[in-house]
Amino acid sequence: MKLEQAEQRAAQLRREIEEHNYRYHVLDKPIISDEQFDQLMRELQELERQFPSLQTPDSPTQRVGGAPLAAFATLVHKQPMYSLDNAFSEAELRDFDSRIRKASGGAIDYLCELKMDGLAVSLQYENGLFVRGATRGDGVRGEDITQNLRTIKQLPLRLPEAITVELRGEVYMTRRDFEMMNAARRAKGESEFVNPRNAAAGSLRQLDPQVTASRPLKLFLYALGEHNLPLQTQEEALAYLERLHLPVNPNRELCRGINAVWRYCLAWQERRAKLPYEIDGIVVKVNSFELQRTMGATSRSPRWAIAYKFPAEEKTTRVLDIQVNVGRTGAITPVAILEPVFLSGSTVQRASLHNEDILAEKDVLIGDTVVVRKAGEVIPEVVRVVREARTGTERQFVMPVRCPSCGAAVHRLPGEAARRCLNPSCPAQLVERLVHFASREAMDIEGLGPRVAELLYREGLVVDVADLYYLQASRLEPLERMAEKSAANLVAAVEKSKANPLHRLLYGLGIRFVGARASRLLAEHFRTLDKLMAADQEALTAIPEIGPKIAEAVTAFFHAPETAPLLEKLRAAGVNMAEPEAEGAGGILQGKTFVFSGTLANYTRDQAAALVQSLGAKVSSAVSGKTSYLVVGENPGSKLQRARELGVTVLSESDFRELVGEAEQHAAGDR
Ligand code: IVH
């Protein structure tokens, strides 16, 4: 076969394959058998093997390509990815409607959609070709997961129209696929995912696209990011996406007025369990794009949309026992051990009862039937006891007077609800401290969960967090359930954590009252551990948001006799003790000062400001001799005049976008 012929045949095969792919994965209405489909794929693969020049990036043979990554690159979203405000009741939903009617008057058309419980993603198409995809991240920057998104068969690698658009949607997993995947993992002795959302998230954040390709991920698109398409409403936009062969959830409805919206919400609250995937609410969007633009957005979320959250699912179960847990600060917490119950997406077997006062107030007895739910859809809690179900065989639980882990006497300090074990070398506390130190927001040491922490302690390999940095793979390998590979992985993960910025270390040390946010504030203010250690109360409380309680806890920690040797051990191991300059500092716009005037079409003021700040620039409200750029939108005020007088560079919105666009690329290149 000649190249020319092959080219034509390959193009035809590609079209056919994409069409069948669409029918199978999006419409769920295949018209050929799997064998016939495989046959087409094989023919195309064979052609591309013979004529490698035919291997285009949009070829269906190229879905899973590329080597595993070392890490995901960071990507700045062209338009920030908002989250949504929540409404937890009919009244809150009606408040939302009143706010909109105030701005517009009359009954509003809303497009109601199911709120998919998955992961938000952004997809960039250029001239019809899928070029980039990212996670939401913090809304301004996400992770580049292009390779992984390409493996999702519902995602067209090329659109039927050569348009340039950014699309937003949700990656999810059906309940059935999730269960089958977990069953397979169970059979192989691998750890299971707790719910479809976590499974989808875990699958999408794999560095090896081969792994992602093996996971049953699905996609629904629900919004357009940057575009210049002649669309007037959300309804039209979604219909248009459907015409592009993109997967769009069909269960959407145009509702005129809030009463219709509420009926839609109630109907889906009833029906949600019958859906093949999980939803956690309803997204209500003003249908008209014009009205959306009028309403605008806050820095976090649009004013023209809201998420109605379904009430947390409640179930009854039995309290099999009440035990106590010793936390990393020595707090002794009563925990209800429950008959396992499947609740809001995962099996629940324990629920904290917080402290003896709450336990007494809720009056939970061992053997009681209780109503449970997940607070904030995450943490299981006992709502109340079903008193009518008592049989008289229930037993009262008595708080222990000795620590169940080390046997030391337990104290209830004045002003505190918790009883505490005050023994600083209590094993349970040490293990909890290790787990906290290794946790995601702290030093993020993968593979060091409660089980491994317990094991390391029990084997005498680790007593304090600094010991982690002296672990040797050869000592780990012989341990139970520690294969050669996991030992090496753990040592590597520990090693990697040495380079973490100071705020992670601070948080990981578990200083009382010093959470993730305070750690960041302290680290960013003092920059090095030495300077922080030298700070007195006054210096600490001078930092906005740091009050006397935190300041006292910080100085108490650094003055405690066991702290200095611990820090020395960490330092000697080579753990970083400094905070790098703030993100964006050293950025491409470092040293520049921006002033904004007028309305920008593509950014709110807050977003534009956040964007330039993330690139190292400052934002000021008035034009002066120090201003580098005045960015003007529609209807700029007197600032424009002033800028002209002072000879300050004036940027139109498109100049501005070009400038930050360029700057973003530089920043990406640096990584
Ligand atoms: S629209 C500007 N529509 O909910 C509005 N979001 O808290 C952007 N989500 O991060 C979101 N289903 O991950 C929209 N039909 C839907 C959605 C949806 C699920 C998620 C999305 C977003 C979060 C908002």
Side-chain angles (χ1 to χ4, degrees), residues 435 527 529:
V435 174
R527 298 270 160 223
L529 190 68

Side-chain angles (χ1 to χ4, degrees), residues 185-498:
R185 290 177 72 85
R186 198 158 48 236
K188 280 192 268 174
E190 292 169 355
S191 65
E192 293 178 51
F193 289 104
V194 290
N195 58 39
R197 202 199 100 85
N198 282 10
S203 302
L204 209 49
R205 291 194 73 265
Q206 291 290 330
L207 292 168
D208 182 354
Q210 295 277 358
V211 178
T212 308
S214 72
R215 304 281 173 82
L217 293 176
K218 295 200 136 171
L219 177 68
F220 274 131
L221 295 178
Y222 50 64
L224 291 158
E226 198 176 58
H227 72 94
N228 50 11
L229 299 159
L231 298 164
Q232 311 285 331
T233 64
Q234 173 70 2
E235 192 186 25
E236 278 175 33
L238 295 185
Y240 175 67
L241 295 183
E242 249 170 5
R243 286 203 298 282
L244 292 177
H245 287 189
L246 291 156
V248 180
N249 195 316
N251 301 311
R252 55 190 190 267
E253 198 172 301
L254 184 67
C255 295
R256 171 147 299 171
I258 199 67
N259 291 333
V261 169
W262 181 237
R263 280 196 297 276
Y264 177 91
C265 292
L266 287 180
W268 282 105
Q269 199 162 300
E270 283 295 310
R271 284 211 286 265
R272 65 190 284 212
K274 297 202 181 81
L275 286 166
Y277 42 76
E278 291 189 347
I279 60 173
D280 58 346
I282 300 298
V283 183
V284 182
K285 302 176 182 173
V286 166
N287 193 38
S288 147
F289 283 169
E290 166 94 58
L291 182 51
Q292 289 188 4
R293 273 190 293 272
T294 316
M295 299 294 306
T298 66
S299 63
R300 238 194 99 244
S301 49
R303 293 196 185 90
W304 46 264
I306 199 156
Y308 167 70
K309 290 299 213 50
F310 294 134
E313 188 186 3
E314 294 191 344
K315 287 216 174 139
T316 57
T317 186
R318 247 167 48 89
V319 177
L320 302 177
D321 196 4
I322 295 178
Q323 296 176 358
V324 292
N325 180 55
V326 186
R328 71 184 155 83
T329 60
I332 310 264
T333 311
V335 181
I337 308 299
L338 305 169
E339 206 164 78
V341 53
F342 193 78
L343 188 67
S344 303
S346 70
T347 302
V348 167
Q349 322 202 35
R350 301 161 66 87
S352 171
L353 294 164
H354 305 289
N355 58 51
E356 58 192 302
D357 295 350
I358 293 183
L359 176 62
E361 193 186 299
K362 291 203 167 160
D363 184 26
V364 184
L365 304 181
I366 297 168
D368 261 342
T369 300
V370 290
V371 176
V372 290
R373 73 166 172 223
K374 280 189 189 160
E377 297 277 312
V378 199
I379 302 156
E381 66 174 5
V382 172
V383 185
R384 63 170 184 279
V385 172
V386 185
R387 291 236 164 63
E388 310 81 74
R390 281 194 178 155
T391 60
T393 56
E394 295 77 15
R395 284 181 297 123
Q396 181 99 31
F397 168 77
V398 188
M399 284 295 279
V401 291
R402 300 207 158 266
C403 170
S405 174
C406 67
V410 161
H411 299 272
R412 185 164 172 171
L413 301 179
E416 284 198 9
R419 289 192 192 214
R420 276 177 205 286
C421 163
L422 299 177
N423 171 10
S425 43
C426 163
Q429 290 181 48
L430 297 174
V431 169
E432 292 287 336
R433 259 180 249 153
L434 286 175
V435 174
H436 172 77
F437 186 78
S439 65
R440 246 306 176 83
E441 277 191 284
M443 297 298 267
D444 195 17
I445 303 175
E446 224 182 292
L448 186 53
R451 190 183 64 79
V452 173
E454 167 86 50
L455 183 68
L456 295 179
Y457 178 80
R458 194 160 15 95
E459 295 292 332
L461 293 175
V462 172
V463 176
D464 61 35
V465 297
D467 292 332
L468 289 171
Y469 293 95
Y470 297 86
L471 282 174
Q472 286 162 354
S474 58
R475 295 281 314 273
L476 295 173
E477 278 159 26
L479 302 185
E480 122 202 36
R481 294 217 274 163
M482 257 288 178
E484 198 175 309
K485 181 132 178 277
S486 39
N489 286 348
L490 181 60
V491 173
V494 168
E495 180 64 29
K496 187 174 139 211
S497 75
K498 285 184 187 171

Side-chain angles (χ1 to χ4, degrees), residues 101-127:
R101 276 187 295 117
K102 221 171 259 166
S104 137
I108 310 285
D109 278 346
Y110 293 105
L111 196 77
C112 293
E113 300 167 22
L114 304 184
K115 186 167 188 301
M116 299 301 300
D117 197 7
L119 248 91
V121 293
S122 142
L123 311 175
Q124 180 71 35
Y125 282 89
E126 276 169 19
N127 300 315

